[in-house]
Amino acid sequence: MAKLWWTVVCLLASLELCTPLINELQPGKEWPKRQSVRQPQDELDNPDVTTVIADTTVGDVVDIPEDVQEDVEENIQTKAIDVEDSKVDYSGAQLWKVATDKNGVRVLLGRLRRRNLISTWSGNQTYIDVLVKPDAVQNVTRIFKRENITFDVIIEDLQRRINEENPPLDENEIELQDRRGHRMTWKQYHRLEDIHGFMDYLAKTYPKIVSVNSIGKSYEGRDLKVLRISDGKPSNKAVFIDGGIHAREWISPATVTYFINQIAENFDEESDDIRDIDWYFLPVVNPDGYEYTHIKDRLWRKNRKPAIYGVRQCVGTDLNRNFGYRWGGKGSSSNPCSEIYRGSRAFSEPESRAVSEFIKTSAANFSAYLTYHSYGQYLLYPWGYDNAVPPDHKELDLVGKNIAAAIQATGGSKYSVGSSSGLLYPASGGSDDWAKGQGIKYAYTIELSDTGRHGFVLPTTFIEPVARESLSGLRVLAAQLRKN
């Protein structure tokens, strides 16, 4: 029986590895020709996009093999499926900022992580933000004190922060929604249905400059909707901007949709720097994970495609470790239960594959690629796969610092600028490395606010300030493209 079971597993694995990269929608080829923008087709509207496929079983704690690269973001995913459709409760969980300047701290954190006592959120060369599980607070506190490790408690009860993060709109805002014709505001984090409805609304309202298309489907069948803003000039350069690769980073789709709204609504009054660019926006690269964070687990990171690991089945691939430039290297994991699982192969996930196929097959002259994440306030350029930089790194650094200066001048937020691997840590398989490898000159990952006080659970009062200052930075990039 055991032999038969193993044969089935191997057969399934071989099928997965041999599956051709099929995309029935042929992304990129169906995009409207310049100066002939058409409306979104009715068949792209999917009334079932909010349907969530039930979880598959996730096993008990699995230790990471010794040869797997340990990384600041790596964490064992151990939540078993809940029989009832209830949300994951983080009551009593705490967020600590842990100093890592002392020898052995990172090794100790790795051990605590494998014991499922903590998970890690973000960090750099000097500290790591650590989520301490509710039943582990006393134990981890005792260990840290014994080892004389310095830490600050940033959030004392994570669930309380989650409950307060996204309050309902007041009556005036709801009335404004009805008059406006769509439900999007930047005073609330919105579900995918609202985001897609807003994109379709703009395409219908501004058909001469705005069009919407689906470049593919997620694992659970949701559209990957891209909105284009363009006046159709053949001389235009193009910029691709995405958000929501990591599901729990809600400020990212909110910021990208803010860009869309500002440019589309004010296009006639915009500068030539903005008007002479074809803008492509994919606000939510990971729609399945994003919806899951709203209905089930606020801190879910990966997509929702199941994978087999030994006798266990874990869910999700880190899409920002799945892109095919130096895939499978440092800062990624071969363990499907890890939060930085890289996938079974490069572009094994439908979401990352759709982005790559669209960019490669599009006739657009892509000169910049921006991917918005959170958090930490970093402006990062390649390379991420190792501590190395591309030949034009000095120019990328200069433009990055000009963007950061505009952000600070607008809202006061200070962004650190540098290569991903140099400023933070190696992370192979990232979308920005892949974009740079495709010859797109200005490729940046922007880690939005804040620097750790709220982390991923950023209150809605931050949305407009963060998005507004980020738009100022985007204008600097547009001006730079005009010079080149």
Side-chain angles (χ1 to χ4, degrees):
M1 185 68 182
K3 184 176 180 181
L4 176 61
W5 176 88
W6 181 247
T7 301
V8 172
V9 170
C10 292
L11 178 60
L12 290 173
S14 65
L15 288 173
E16 168 68 16
L17 291 173
C18 297
T19 302
L21 301 183
I22 298 174
N23 189 325
E24 296 177 354
L25 296 178
Q26 297 181 330
K29 296 180 181 179
E30 79 280 34
W31 200 271
K33 295 180 180 179
R34 298 182 185 218
Q35 301 190 45
S36 63
V37 176
R38 64 174 183 262
Q39 290 295 303
Q41 299 299 312
D42 292 338
E43 60 266 24
L44 294 179
D45 295 328
N46 182 0
D48 298 325
V49 293
T50 57
T51 302
V52 177
I53 297 177
D55 285 334
T56 48
T57 303
V58 177
D60 297 329
V61 179
V62 182
D63 281 341
I64 303 176
E66 290 297 323
D67 61 345
V68 173
Q69 170 75 23
E70 285 197 356
D71 180 83
V72 66
E73 288 190 75
E74 183 158 11
N75 176 44
I76 297 297
Q77 173 200 326
T78 59
K79 299 185 185 72
I81 179 174
D82 291 339
V83 177
E84 59 278 341
D85 189 21
S86 60
K87 286 189 176 182
V88 175
D89 189 0
Y90 288 93
S91 295
Q94 296 186 345
L95 183 68
W96 297 2
K97 189 174 291 291
V98 181
T100 58
D101 50 353
K102 184 179 178 181
N103 289 337
V105 172
R106 291 178 183 268
V107 174
L108 175 61
L109 292 178
R111 292 172 182 167
L112 295 175
R113 189 170 54 234
R114 287 193 293 275
R115 290 172 57 192
N116 199 34
L117 299 177
I118 67 170
S119 63
T120 47
W121 275 19
S122 183
N124 56 24
Q125 307 288 358
T126 61
Y127 73 87
I128 296 177
D129 288 346
V130 174
L131 188 158
V132 185
K133 307 296 177 64
D135 54 357
V137 170
Q138 290 185 350
N139 192 10
V140 177
T141 300
R142 185 175 65 253
I143 294 172
F144 277 26
K145 288 184 177 179
R146 184 187 68 203
E147 300 296 330
N148 197 27
I149 297 174
T150 303
F151 69 95
D152 294 316
V153 178
I154 306 301
I155 298 177
E156 292 188 353
D157 188 318
L158 185 56
Q159 187 60 49
R160 188 182 307 159
R161 286 287 183 88
I162 291 173
N163 294 341
E164 298 169 351
E165 175 190 24
N166 194 29
L169 296 175
D170 61 33
E171 293 183 2
N172 292 333
E173 286 294 336
I174 294 175
E175 183 181 352
L176 182 59
Q177 283 181 331
D178 295 336
R179 293 202 306 267
R180 201 166 33 218
H182 61 81
R183 293 196 294 268
M184 279 295 293
T185 72
W186 289 269
K187 301 180 184 300
Q188 189 180 47
Y189 294 113
H190 288 263
R191 296 283 293 274
L192 186 70
E193 181 182 11
D194 287 355
I195 294 173
H196 284 177
F198 163 68
M199 296 165 71
D200 291 339
Y201 164 83
L202 289 177
K204 294 172 184 176
T205 305
Y206 305 103
K208 292 184 178 180
I209 60 168
V210 178
S211 56
V212 175
N213 215 331
S214 175
I215 64 169
K217 299 278 188 179
S218 67
Y219 171 75
E220 293 180 348
R222 295 179 174 88
D223 280 316
L224 300 171
K225 281 198 173 187
V226 169
L227 180 143
R228 183 179 79 163
I229 304 175
S230 171
D231 62 4
K233 291 195 296 290
S235 59
N236 286 354
K237 295 178 179 178
V239 174
F240 191 94
I241 296 175
D242 69 39
I245 284 182
H246 291 143
R248 62 192 176 189
E249 299 168 9
W250 286 3
I251 187 62
S252 166
T255 297
V256 175
T257 53
Y258 182 90
F259 294 163
I260 291 172
N261 187 63
Q262 293 298 308
I263 295 176
E265 294 277 4
N266 304 294
F267 192 80
D268 290 341
E269 290 76 38
E270 281 289 356
S271 67
D272 289 340
D273 295 340
I274 298 294
R275 291 164 57 88
D276 289 347
I277 289 175
D278 292 345
W279 298 95
Y280 292 82
F281 298 96
L282 174 56
V284 187
V285 180
N286 181 8
D288 298 346
Y290 183 71
E291 281 294 285
Y292 194 76
T293 61
H294 281 273
I295 65 172
K296 186 72 172 180
D297 183 353
R298 173 62 187 88
L299 298 179
W300 186 262
R301 169 184 169 92
K302 304 187 287 182
N303 74 349
R304 295 293 302 161
K305 181 182 173 184
I308 296 175
Y309 183 67
V311 298
R312 297 178 173 91
Q313 188 176 58
C314 291
V315 176
T317 293
D318 182 346
L319 296 177
N320 207 38
R321 300 294 189 274
N322 191 240
F323 281 75
Y325 189 87
R326 303 296 180 100
W327 173 86
K330 295 179 180 179
S332 67
S333 176
S334 61
N335 177 3
C337 301
S338 168
E339 286 206 333
I340 54 170
Y341 174 53
R342 63 197 182 207
S344 59
R345 64 185 185 280
F347 297 119
S348 61
E349 307 310 294
E351 299 89 354
S352 57
R353 189 162 68 242
V355 172
S356 70
E357 289 181 352
F358 172 71
I359 290 178
K360 287 195 300 184
T361 60
S362 174
N365 178 23
F366 286 113
S367 301
Y369 169 82
L370 304 181
T371 178
Y372 284 83
H373 292 248
S374 74
Y375 59 95
Q377 295 176 194
Y378 297 104
L379 207 154
L380 308 170
Y381 51 81
W383 301 111
Y385 73 87
D386 205 347
N387 193 13
V389 290
D392 60 349
H393 68 95
K394 290 184 178 179
E395 186 175 355
L396 294 177
D397 193 79
L398 178 60
V399 173
K401 287 177 178 175
N402 290 339
I403 293 172
I407 289 173
Q408 185 173 357
T410 301
S413 298
K414 296 181 180 179
Y415 277 63
S416 300
V417 180
S419 70
S420 298
S421 55
L423 196 57
L424 296 183
Y425 42 79
S428 58
S431 63
D432 55 348
D433 275 12
W434 177 84
K436 185 66 174 174
Q438 292 295 307
I440 300 176
K441 181 173 180 59
Y442 296 104
Y444 293 100
T445 293
I446 296 92
E447 297 282 356
L448 296 164
S449 293
D450 60 4
T451 56
R453 180 185 175 191
H454 301 283
F456 298 119
V457 191
L458 193 67
T460 54
T461 53
F462 284 81
I463 295 176
E464 288 192 67
V466 169
R468 190 181 305 113
E469 63 186 14
S470 299
L471 181 59
S472 295
L474 188 61
R475 294 187 188 283
V476 170
L477 176 66
Q480 179 66 36
L481 293 181
R482 188 172 176 81
K483 293 178 184 176
N484 287 8

